[in-house]
Amino acid sequence: MEKVYESKSIETDILLRWSKLLEYDFFRLYSSHLILYAPPSAVNKTDTPRSEKTPQFRKNIYTQEIKNFILERIESGEMTQAEVIKEYSIPKSTLHRWIQKKS
């Protein structure tokens, strides 16, 4: 167990086993990281046929950890609501809903 924890990477089949064993979705944690730190979309998009494009997700899924991280940045004054909306591409209504629920 320590060897896996200390390793630089882990194979997905092993991670899936750990997720099932611990009843925790480690893949969601990774995908949340991708949502937060994804590069901005390309400015000049080409017209590529739909089948050649990478899959586009219609709705972002935010874990409670991600929500807490963002709300802590606002509460600490590290970022304003407008900066969070711009930086992480979170809809204004979604951010306001998170703030209302936390209050």
Side-chain angles (χ1 to χ4, degrees):
M1 192 163 56
E2 285 182 32
K3 190 176 181 179
V4 171
Y5 180 74
E6 292 174 354
S7 67
K8 186 174 181 176
S9 63
I10 183 171
E11 292 186 26
T12 54
D13 61 329
I14 295 173
L15 187 60
L16 180 60
R17 288 180 188 172
W18 279 102
S19 294
K20 289 178 179 179
L21 177 70
L22 299 173
E23 297 180 359
Y24 186 82
D25 187 358
F26 290 104
F27 292 96
R28 180 170 288 204
L29 222 152
Y30 179 72
S31 61
S32 297
H33 177 83
L34 290 176
I35 291 169
L36 275 180
Y37 297 102
S41 59
V43 177
N44 298 325
K45 294 185 179 181
T46 58
D47 289 345
T48 336
R50 182 88 176 143
S51 61
E52 294 179 19
K53 289 183 179 179
T54 56
Q56 299 295 318
F57 298 101
R58 293 186 181 169
K59 184 175 181 177
N60 289 329
I61 300 173
Y62 303 100
T63 62
Q64 192 58 47
E65 292 87 1
I66 297 296
K67 292 176 188 178
N68 291 340
F69 170 77
I70 291 171
L71 292 173
E72 285 173 14
R73 293 191 83 181
I74 293 171
E75 289 173 358
S76 70
E78 191 175 336
M79 293 181 84
T80 65
Q81 290 181 22
E83 290 171 332
V84 166
I85 292 167
K86 183 177 179 185
E87 177 77 21
Y88 300 120
S89 302
I90 297 173
K92 187 176 182 179
S93 58
T94 302
L95 182 61
H96 288 295
R97 195 174 318 116
W98 295 351
I99 293 170
Q100 287 177 342
K101 285 184 180 179
K102 187 155 181 155
S103 300

